[in-house]
Amino acid sequence: ELDDLYGLLKEHYVDDSSGLFKLHYTKEILKWAMGDPQNLLLGVRVEATGKLVAFIAVLPLQLHLRGSSGPVAGTMVNFLCVHRKLRHKRLTPQLIKEATRRLLLQY
């Protein structure tokens, strides 16, 4: 699965239309970033081929805000990526909605 995620992010994560700017993560960095068992990792695969076409990683965390009486629950979203050809299908809001639903059930 790490190879699938690496391929999706390499081809479709944070780039501009001119191709001058692109983020690239190594497999080692991805393995480290996904290693926390509290991370919620969601992927969308094409049923016929099994190809990964969308992904989101969500990490629950405690925020310490100045002036608050204690820590505030929050989340950090990272590696939100949808295949270029599927971006018009509104997968991003669905990924965020599903991640939110699962986090609310968990906490």
Side-chain angles (χ1 to χ4, degrees), residues 31-52:
K31 189 174 182 178
W32 172 78
M34 304 299 165
D36 190 336
Q38 287 186 326
N39 279 355
L40 175 62
L41 309 175
L42 298 174
V44 176
R45 291 186 180 274
V46 175
E47 189 174 2
T49 63
K51 182 178 178 181
L52 186 66

Side-chain angles (χ1 to χ4, degrees), residues 1-104:
E1 291 184 348
L2 181 62
D3 290 335
D4 293 341
L5 177 59
Y6 174 77
L8 176 69
L9 294 178
K10 182 179 177 189
E11 296 298 320
H12 304 284
Y13 189 62
V14 184
D15 59 353
D16 65 346
S17 59
S18 66
L20 295 174
F21 177 78
K22 189 172 190 97
L23 286 178
H24 178 75
Y25 292 98
T26 64
K27 289 182 183 180
E28 292 77 24
I29 293 289
L30 291 175
K31 189 174 182 178
W32 172 78
M34 304 299 165
D36 190 336
Q38 287 186 326
N39 279 355
L40 175 62
L41 309 175
L42 298 174
V44 176
R45 291 186 180 274
V46 175
E47 189 174 2
T49 63
K51 182 178 178 181
L52 186 66
V53 294
F55 182 81
I56 187 172
V58 183
L59 173 64
L61 46 89
Q62 297 291 319
L63 300 170
H64 298 276
L65 304 174
R66 190 179 330 169
S68 66
S69 60
V72 177
T75 59
M76 178 178 69
V77 173
N78 204 354
F79 303 113
L80 175 57
C81 181
V82 176
H83 191 287
R84 250 184 235 103
K85 291 182 179 178
L86 298 175
R87 290 184 181 164
H88 68 284
K89 300 280 188 187
R90 300 199 36 85
L91 285 174
T92 299
Q94 293 300 318
L95 283 170
I96 293 170
K97 186 186 285 188
E98 179 62 18
T100 302
R101 185 188 73 79
R102 289 186 186 197
L103 284 172
L104 290 174

